[in-house]
């Protein structure tokens, strides 16, 4: 049976943004949700989050618990794809060409005053901290590497306990 992991529509935009950031930074292929990508539209945090968490879920081999993302995502048997966007439905192995973390997202949150990104992840670009649909979201590679280093160090500490 095919299964997809999608973000929940009843979750805050900031929580969805954190899940999007995490998935894209942890191995999801987020290239299709870049501007001009097959899954860029609809240009919303919810849609981009769903594509990213599903990519992560499929690339991890669909293990139990890998579609939770702090309760922002859920499993579905209904294909979320459409309009030229195909969501992977079976476990896949990342290829070297598609494991590069994308550098630009521009989801339209429809809200103002919200901040995006987590720990320097996919947050709003420009000089303001608001996501109003006019500002792109930029992944700062140096901050991502710091985040990933901290994540690795935390994992090692937990394993040594």
């Amino acid at each position: 049976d095919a299964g997809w992991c999608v973000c929940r529509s009843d979750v805050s935009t900031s929580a969805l943004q954190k899940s999007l950031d995490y998935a894209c930074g942890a191995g999801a292929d987020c290239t299709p949700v870049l501007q001009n990508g097959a899954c860029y539209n609809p240009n919303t945090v919810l849609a981009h989050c769903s594509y990213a968490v599903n990519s992560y879920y499929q690339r991890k081999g669909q293990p139990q618990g890998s579609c939770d993302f702090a309760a922002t995502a859920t499993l579905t048997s209904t294909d979320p794809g459409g309009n030229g966007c195909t969501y992977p439905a079976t476990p896949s192995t990342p290829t070297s060409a598609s494991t590069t973390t994308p550098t630009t997202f521009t989801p339209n949150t429809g809200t103002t005053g919200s901040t995006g990104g987590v720990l320097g992840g996919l947050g709003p670009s420009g000089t303001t901290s608001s996501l109003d649909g006019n500002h792109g979201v930029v992944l700062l590679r140096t901050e991502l590497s710091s985040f990933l280093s901290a994540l690795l160090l935390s994992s090692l500490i937990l394993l040594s306990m």
Side-chain angles (χ1 to χ4, degrees), residues 110-129:
T111 62
T112 59
S114 300
T115 58
V118 59
L119 297 174
L122 300 172
S125 66
T127 58
T128 66
S129 62

Side-chain angles (χ1 to χ4, degrees), residues 81-160:
N83 297 326
C85 177
T86 303
Y87 280 60
T90 57
S92 61
T93 304
T95 62
S96 59
S98 62
T99 58
T100 304
T101 304
T103 58
T104 305
F105 285 90
T106 54
N108 180 1
T109 65
T111 62
T112 59
S114 300
T115 58
V118 59
L119 297 174
L122 300 172
S125 66
T127 58
T128 66
S129 62
S130 67
L131 272 179
D132 62 6
N134 295 323
H135 296 286
V137 183
V138 177
L139 177 65
L140 302 174
R141 291 184 188 277
T142 56
E143 292 182 26
L144 177 62
S145 65
S146 297
F147 171 72
L148 293 176
S149 296
L151 185 63
L152 178 62
L153 181 59
S154 298
S155 298
L156 291 173
I157 290 170
L158 287 173
L159 288 174
S160 67

